[in-house]
Amino acid sequence: MRRCAVALLGQRARRRWLHLIVGGALFMPFWMVGSVVVGALLGAGGLFTGSLAVQFGAYAVGLPLVAVAALFPLARPMSVAAARALCGVPADRYADGPAQGPAARARTAGWFTLHLGAGALVSGATLALPPFAVSVMALPFSPALRESELGRLWGLDRPWWSWAALPAGLLMLLALAAAAAGTGALLALQAPRLLGPSPADRLAAAERRAAEAESRNRLARELHDSVGHALSAVTLQAGAARRVLDGGAGADLAFVREALTAIEETTRRTVGELDWVLGLLRQDEQAGEGGEAGEGGAGGPGPGPGLDALESLVRGAGPKVALTVSGDLAPVPEALSREAYRIVQEGLTNAARHAGGEPVSVRLDARTEEWEINMENPLPARPPVARPNGGRGLRGIGERARLLGGTAEAGPADGVWRLVVRIPR
């Protein structure tokens, strides 16, 4: 008994009943148009005529109009929002956004017609049947009601209604609840089929997930390169300054001052880069919430560091880093300038980790069709210790080069460790 009561009047059943009433409300404009058309054809007077022929004729005319209206882009998002809130079907079984393609539009039209058509019938019964059922149940207790014009119209003045009225009224209400629950369950069963994602929707969702993953990887790479380089450079400079100060009274204070200046420059520059990366992260979050964001747009971060900040990067890496530039860097595109900066930054980070304190040469050649970055540093006396989570630096350089259509090679050559990156203009 309790299970039946929950099935008919539980929270899920009530939500589905409300969903049907929403469909009936949405059907009203179409029904009114149908009433005008059918009333004119049958010669019936008035929009709200009591003729059943006009009422059901208007219903029949309204259904095709509903199917046509469902072809508009807003139909599926509106239907999905209502169904997610009220049908009791898991939210991930629905498609997002307007229907794309004839098949998806046809399924949306089928759902919209089913929802509004069934909702109109259930809504009409919900408005008409409860007052009638209550009136029937009141017959044994109200002689005036039995003798009224309405009672005679519906045949409620018959003597046998005196004992059958109460159970009959209860059965009417029970039948209404059962019809609403059954219709709501039918809609919930059809919702994933008619409003679920099509192959095109699944492909679009997969592309969005891939774009989000690429965005996360890009941000992780930016953070890795920026913070990793800063920590390596600061560690190297601080260690060199400490060793000089350990020398006692004859310490080279100019060298210590230069190392501290390099630390200050590196940390200040890294804070700016972190602000830029976090700005990108905020942009991605706003884009995921439907906001508009564009790199360098209003309210967003400007472009990241490029070749114009290269000298500052080299100064922060220490006095033993030599930079040589051949050719004019001014016409280098902004995207190439940013990626070249990151490639040099990661190369300096690797050199600081594996050959700290040794001279490092950085050469940029912009005179040929292939833009070349060449970095060299002495091989370490001992091979570097493998880090459990390391090894991403050269891989990141290779990824950046490939994204620009170029190549990256790294390894020992002629007694030095050489990194060569070539990128087409």
Side-chain angles (χ1 to χ4, degrees), residues 249-289:
D252 187 353
L253 295 181
F255 179 86
V256 174
R257 188 178 296 107
E258 188 174 353
L260 293 176
T261 301
I263 290 174
E264 182 182 1
E265 253 187 59
T266 299
T267 53
R268 184 182 295 112
R269 185 184 65 251
T270 304
V271 169
E273 293 181 16
L274 283 177
D275 287 341
W276 176 73
V277 174
L278 293 176
L280 288 180
L281 181 60
R282 285 192 293 269
Q283 280 188 338
D284 287 346
E285 290 176 350
Q286 291 171 2
E289 295 169 359

Side-chain angles (χ1 to χ4, degrees), residues 131-412:
F132 179 73
V134 171
S135 299
V136 168
M137 288 189 290
L139 285 176
F141 313 102
S142 176
L145 183 61
R146 291 196 300 270
E147 296 170 1
S148 66
E149 183 178 350
L150 182 63
R152 290 194 299 272
L153 175 65
W154 289 96
L156 302 181
D157 56 345
R158 295 185 178 94
W160 58 273
W161 267 113
S162 298
W163 59 267
L166 190 60
L170 291 173
L171 284 175
M172 291 178 195
L173 295 177
L174 184 63
L176 175 61
T183 307
L186 174 64
L187 285 180
L189 182 64
Q190 297 300 322
R193 299 178 185 177
L194 299 177
L195 294 178
S198 64
D201 293 324
R202 293 189 182 95
L203 178 61
E207 290 175 349
R208 285 196 300 271
R209 288 194 295 271
E212 291 171 0
E214 173 59 27
S215 176
R216 288 194 296 270
N217 290 337
R218 175 171 59 94
L219 292 175
R221 189 165 58 235
E222 296 289 346
L223 283 172
H224 170 270
D225 291 352
S226 179
V227 177
H229 169 77
L231 291 177
S232 297
V234 166
T235 301
L236 177 65
Q237 297 295 334
R242 179 184 55 79
R243 286 193 295 271
V244 170
L245 290 175
D246 286 345
D252 187 353
L253 295 181
F255 179 86
V256 174
R257 188 178 296 107
E258 188 174 353
L260 293 176
T261 301
I263 290 174
E264 182 182 1
E265 253 187 59
T266 299
T267 53
R268 184 182 295 112
R269 185 184 65 251
T270 304
V271 169
E273 293 181 16
L274 283 177
D275 287 341
W276 176 73
V277 174
L278 293 176
L280 288 180
L281 181 60
R282 285 192 293 269
Q283 280 188 338
D284 287 346
E285 290 176 350
Q286 291 171 2
E289 295 169 359
E292 295 182 1
E295 189 171 325
L307 293 176
D308 54 341
L310 196 58
E311 291 186 3
S312 173
L313 176 67
V314 170
R315 283 197 307 270
K320 293 189 177 182
V321 179
L323 173 65
T324 304
V325 178
S326 302
D328 185 11
L329 301 182
V332 174
E334 185 178 288
L336 176 56
S337 177
R338 290 198 305 266
E339 296 303 320
Y341 176 91
R342 292 301 187 191
I343 288 171
V344 174
Q345 185 183 57
E346 185 56 37
L348 292 176
T349 302
N350 286 339
R353 285 173 179 164
H354 303 311
E358 298 293 333
V360 179
S361 67
V362 181
R363 297 194 300 274
L364 282 73
D365 192 346
R367 296 174 298 179
T368 60
E369 293 184 358
E370 278 194 333
W371 203 77
E372 183 176 300
I373 302 173
N374 192 310
M375 301 182 64
E376 293 181 359
N377 60 268
L379 289 170
R382 291 182 298 175
V385 178
R387 292 173 291 131
N389 297 318
R392 294 191 180 93
L394 294 177
R395 188 185 310 164
I397 290 174
E399 289 175 357
R400 292 181 185 277
R402 285 192 296 273
L403 284 174
L404 296 171
T407 60
E409 300 175 358

